[in-house]
């Protein structure tokens, strides 16, 4: 009998060990495919940025976007992950906490005992590249490639990940001191990237021909609106991978947010589709413009993103309407009042809609309990976080682009802008022989 019990115990232990490894592999696979879906975001940004450009700048815009992706990955490996681990307390690094993120750490390579670091690093690297792509569309058709890459690397591998360390880390000071909650990164991804772009645009200036002498704005239309709209839809497809990467498996039968609050993919599925639909409807009513309908879908998601893990779906639908409305009117204000030439509305769609979402959470979910010693969520906490996200985005964008402007390396020469960046900089043609005459300039 004792031998049978011992044998049975051994089999149970073996099954438990096997189950543990199966769970580990399943979780690793989940984040692997989330990261794969997130690459579709960049296919979408590539398509919509090239479609939104005029014919004479199509390839230059595409090259800029592709290179931003390529440069972000290695720079995020060498410095980005360390920043995330080392700065949750503020501007003073915690070198002990950051030790696992230095490039020579055992975790930053093929460690068979580590099934987590690489996939989480990859997801965050794709988040970083997303911020660069958000910024990229705003500055098309007049920024120097070298200046753009300096700015994109700064945003993706330094600025956004510093914001993420404050706002999207279990020990981040915004959570531990103010009860900050932002499940879908409306603050540290979208607000930061949108307002970084605003800081750059102020120094970069408008495209030639955008404004008349009386200050009125001209419409510099996309050369291929269907491609731009398709690209925006691809971004939304990839966003489901983005949101999957925002949820954490903690070793039990419960998924959580990055802040430790319980969450389910079911709740996120309800709310994402509802705010997506609300954003499209609102933008259609306000503009009847296909480009803004799909941009409104994105803004609708950002308007509800902080609470996708806990909102009641009809509220998410209404917040989707609110986010898109804020983006449409924000874009008009930026173009006509501030006279800032944002070629794709990135500041409004990401910055203003993201701000709307962060503040809306404080209005509709104040008092939601946090785990541990973190205070409950509050409107004050959300406003403090929003101010921090604005500052950490806008100030580096403005100051670094101002330095590049003073050095004379921010903007391409006027002659190159007039003839088009493709002719001036790209050794191949965007379209086959015979199609150019039918395409608008």
């Amino acid at each position: 009998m004792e031998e049978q019990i011992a044998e049975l115990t051994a089999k149970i232990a073996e099954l438990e060990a096997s189950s543990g490894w199966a769970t580990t592999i399943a979780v690793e696979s989940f984040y692997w495919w989330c990261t794969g879906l997130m690459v579709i975001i960049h296919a979408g940004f590539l398509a919509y940025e090239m479609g939104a450009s005029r014919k004479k700048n199509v390839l230059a815009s595409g090259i800029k976007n592709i290179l931003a992706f390529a440069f972000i990955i290695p720079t995020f490996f060498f410095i980005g992950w360390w920043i995330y681990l080392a700065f949750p307390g503020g501007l003073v690094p915690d070198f002990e906490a950051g030790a696992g993120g230095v490039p020579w750490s055992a975790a930053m390579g093929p460690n068979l005992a580590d099934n987590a670091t690489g996939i989480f690093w990859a997801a965050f690297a794709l988040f970083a590249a997303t911020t660069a792509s958000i910024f990229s569309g705003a500055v098309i058709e007049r920024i120097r490639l070298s200046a753009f890459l300096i700015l994109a690397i700064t945003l993706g591998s330094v600025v956004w990940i510093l914001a993420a360390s404050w706002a999207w880390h279990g020990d981040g000071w915004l959570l531990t001191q103010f009860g900050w909650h932002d499940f879908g990164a409306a603050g540290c991804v979208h607000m930061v990237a949108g307002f970084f772009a605003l800081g750059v645009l102020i120094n970069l200036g408008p495209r030639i021909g955008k404004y008349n002498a009386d200050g009125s704005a001209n419409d510099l239309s996309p050369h291929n609106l269907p491609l731009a709209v398709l690209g925006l839809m691809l971004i939304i497809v990839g966003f489901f991978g983005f949101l999957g990467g925002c949820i954490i498996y903690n070793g039990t039968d419960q998924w959580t947010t990055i802040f430790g609050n319980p969450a389910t993919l079911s709740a996120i599925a309800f709310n994402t589709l509802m705010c997506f639909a609300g954003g499209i409807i609102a933008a259609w009513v306000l503009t009847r413009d296909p480009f803004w309908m799909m941009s409104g879908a994105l803004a609708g998601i950002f308007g509800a993103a902080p609470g996708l893990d806990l909102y009641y779906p009809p509220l998410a639908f209404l917040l989707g309407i609110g986010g898109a409305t804020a983006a449409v009117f924000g874009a008009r204000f930026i173009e006509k009042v501030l006279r800032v030439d944002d070629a794709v509305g990135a500041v409004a769609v990401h910055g203003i809609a993201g701000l709307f979402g962060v503040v809306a959470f404080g209005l509709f979910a104040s008092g939601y309990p946090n785990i541990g010693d973190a205070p409950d969520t509050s409107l004050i906490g959300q406003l403090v976080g929003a101010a921090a996200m604005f500052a950490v985005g806008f100030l580096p964008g403005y100051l670094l682009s101002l330095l590049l402007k003073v050095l004379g390396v921010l903007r391409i020469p006027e002659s190159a802008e007039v003839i088009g960046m493709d002719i001036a900089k790209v050794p191949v043609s965007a379209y086959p022989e015979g199609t150019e005459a039918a395409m608008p300039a």
Side-chain angles (χ1 to χ4, degrees):
M1 178 65 72
E2 291 180 357
E3 292 180 358
Q4 291 176 328
I5 293 175
E7 183 178 350
L8 181 60
T9 301
K11 287 183 177 179
I12 291 173
E14 184 179 345
L15 287 172
E16 289 178 343
S18 176
S19 175
W21 272 109
T23 300
T24 298
I25 292 170
V27 171
E28 187 174 25
S29 299
F30 173 82
Y31 290 110
W32 170 272
W33 290 114
C34 284
T35 303
L37 273 174
M38 287 171 66
V39 176
I40 296 175
I41 292 175
H42 300 284
F45 272 117
L46 179 64
Y48 112 87
E49 189 172 323
M50 293 175 73
S53 299
R54 288 170 290 177
K55 185 187 69 171
K56 62 185 181 180
N57 297 306
V58 173
L59 292 180
S61 294
I63 288 170
K64 174 170 60 66
N65 196 287
I66 295 168
L67 284 176
F69 186 93
F71 275 93
I72 290 294
I73 301 303
T75 54
F76 192 81
F77 178 86
F78 287 113
I79 60 174
W81 197 237
W82 176 79
I83 291 173
Y84 177 71
L85 297 178
F87 284 89
L91 291 173
V92 179
D94 181 339
F95 290 99
E96 183 177 353
V102 295
W104 52 88
S105 166
M108 299 295 284
N111 183 349
L112 293 178
D114 184 348
N115 293 78
T117 302
I119 52 171
F120 281 110
W121 169 84
F124 274 68
L126 268 291
F127 294 146
T130 297
T131 64
S133 289
I134 292 167
F135 158 62
S136 177
V139 297
I140 56 174
E141 301 193 321
R142 73 269 205 204
I143 195 169
R144 283 184 186 267
L145 179 60
S146 55
F148 168 76
L149 290 175
I150 291 169
L151 290 161
I153 290 168
T154 301
L155 171 59
S157 292
V158 179
V159 171
W160 110 263
I161 196 60
L162 177 63
S165 189
W166 297 350
W168 226 40
H169 187 296
D171 295 322
W173 66 270
L174 284 174
L175 169 65
T176 59
Q177 297 180 36
F178 293 96
W180 165 268
H181 189 95
D182 182 15
F183 170 79
C188 64
V189 170
H190 299 287
M191 277 190 68
V192 168
F195 290 118
F196 183 97
L198 177 62
V200 175
L201 287 169
I202 290 171
N203 290 310
L204 182 63
R207 291 167 289 176
I208 294 173
K210 177 63 182 177
Y211 292 102
N212 299 311
D214 62 0
S216 59
N218 295 310
D219 181 23
L220 303 183
S221 299
H223 91 284
N224 191 331
L225 185 57
L227 179 63
V229 172
L230 176 61
L232 287 164
M233 179 60 86
L234 286 175
I235 293 171
I236 292 166
V237 172
F239 212 72
F240 280 85
F242 181 105
L243 293 173
C246 297
I247 196 167
I248 307 296
Y249 178 72
N250 65 0
T252 68
D253 59 354
Q254 179 66 64
W255 294 84
T256 74
T257 68
I258 205 160
F259 309 104
N261 309 103
T264 67
L265 285 173
S266 178
I268 296 158
F270 274 129
N271 288 324
T272 303
L273 291 174
M274 288 290 277
C275 61
F276 162 75
I280 290 178
I281 292 169
W284 173 71
V285 170
L286 291 170
T287 71
R288 298 298 198 273
D289 181 339
F291 181 85
W292 270 102
M293 286 173 65
M294 293 313 305
S295 294
L298 282 172
I301 294 175
F302 308 150
L308 290 175
D309 55 318
L310 56 90
Y311 284 145
Y312 180 54
L315 175 58
F317 178 76
L318 293 176
L319 291 175
I321 292 174
T325 302
V328 169
F329 284 102
R332 291 173 182 173
F333 178 80
I334 289 166
E335 179 186 54
K336 299 182 183 302
V337 179
L338 298 184
R339 295 180 184 174
V340 170
D341 180 15
D342 179 354
V344 298
V347 177
V349 171
H350 297 270
I352 293 177
L355 174 61
F356 171 88
V358 166
V359 175
F361 187 91
L363 292 171
F364 292 102
S366 183
Y368 182 68
N370 281 305
I371 63 165
D373 297 327
D376 294 345
T377 60
S378 67
L379 177 58
I380 295 299
Q382 295 301 109
L383 290 173
V384 169
M389 296 302 99
F390 174 85
V392 81
F394 178 81
L395 291 177
Y398 179 81
L399 294 174
L400 181 54
S401 62
L402 178 61
L403 174 61
L404 294 170
K405 180 180 179 179
V406 169
L407 295 175
V409 296
L410 179 62
R411 187 164 177 150
I412 61 172
E414 182 177 343
S415 58
E417 186 175 351
V418 170
I419 65 172
M421 295 178 71
D422 282 9
I423 294 174
K425 299 290 184 180
V426 184
V428 295
S429 173
Y431 299 100
E433 183 179 358
T435 63
E436 286 89 346
M439 298 293 293

